[in-house]
Amino acid sequence: MPNCPECTAREKKKIQTKYEADTPEEERGRDDLYKLYDEIEIPMKMDPARKGNFICKRCGLYATREQVSDIRYKLNQKEKTREDKHDDYLEWWQKSKKEKQEN
Ligand SMILES: [Zn+2]
């Protein structure tokens, strides 16, 4: 059964917040975080009345397998865009710090 994309995204955010609270910045690794993400299990249930449709008991999401992939893809894109922005910001910050040191 596919994991509920909405609940998984919410759970990821919770795990990330906890991870950042528990782990000092210099010990954090993206792989560690991804390992924690892999442990998320929020399987949807198949709708017995309409085969190929899945329902999430937690949030009530009702979708076909294709829609589930679609939602997951969109949520991942959103997450990526945010990370990219964050990286840009980091880059800018480090660059400006370097420039300050050089001057
Ligand atoms: Zn759900």
Side-chain angles (χ1 to χ4, degrees):
M1 295 296 124
N3 272 334
C4 171
E6 295 277 357
C7 288
T8 305
R10 257 196 296 273
E11 202 64 26
K12 276 185 182 174
K13 235 169 253 161
K14 253 191 265 170
I15 288 175
Q16 191 188 1
T17 310
K18 191 177 181 305
Y19 181 74
E20 285 176 0
D22 290 352
T23 316
E25 205 167 345
E26 60 271 19
E27 287 171 25
R28 282 181 212 157
R30 208 166 267 194
D31 287 345
D32 288 342
L33 200 54
Y34 284 166
K35 234 176 268 169
L36 293 173
Y37 287 170
D38 281 345
E39 286 166 20
I40 302 172
E41 266 187 56
I42 308 162
M44 298 174 83
K45 295 249 185 299
M46 171 108 65
D47 180 358
R50 290 174 67 195
K51 285 232 170 76
N53 287 273
F54 297 91
I55 185 158
C56 173
K57 294 274 178 196
R58 228 195 257 200
C59 71
L61 178 73
Y62 189 84
T64 65
R65 197 182 278 271
E66 268 161 35
Q67 285 168 331
V68 168
S69 318
D70 202 42
I71 295 168
R72 184 180 301 135
Y73 176 77
K74 277 183 191 143
L75 287 170
N76 281 344
Q77 287 301 105
K78 222 162 73 182
E79 193 67 22
K80 249 197 211 134
T81 323
R82 222 181 40 180
E83 270 176 24
D84 287 349
K85 271 198 196 120
H86 185 69
D87 285 348
D88 282 351
Y89 173 75
L90 249 181
E91 214 172 274
W92 166 84
W93 185 78
Q94 274 160 353
K95 212 176 115 203
S96 78
K97 198 168 71 169
K98 212 174 143 226
E99 274 165 11
K100 269 182 209 138
Q101 281 168 351
E102 280 166 4
N103 290 336

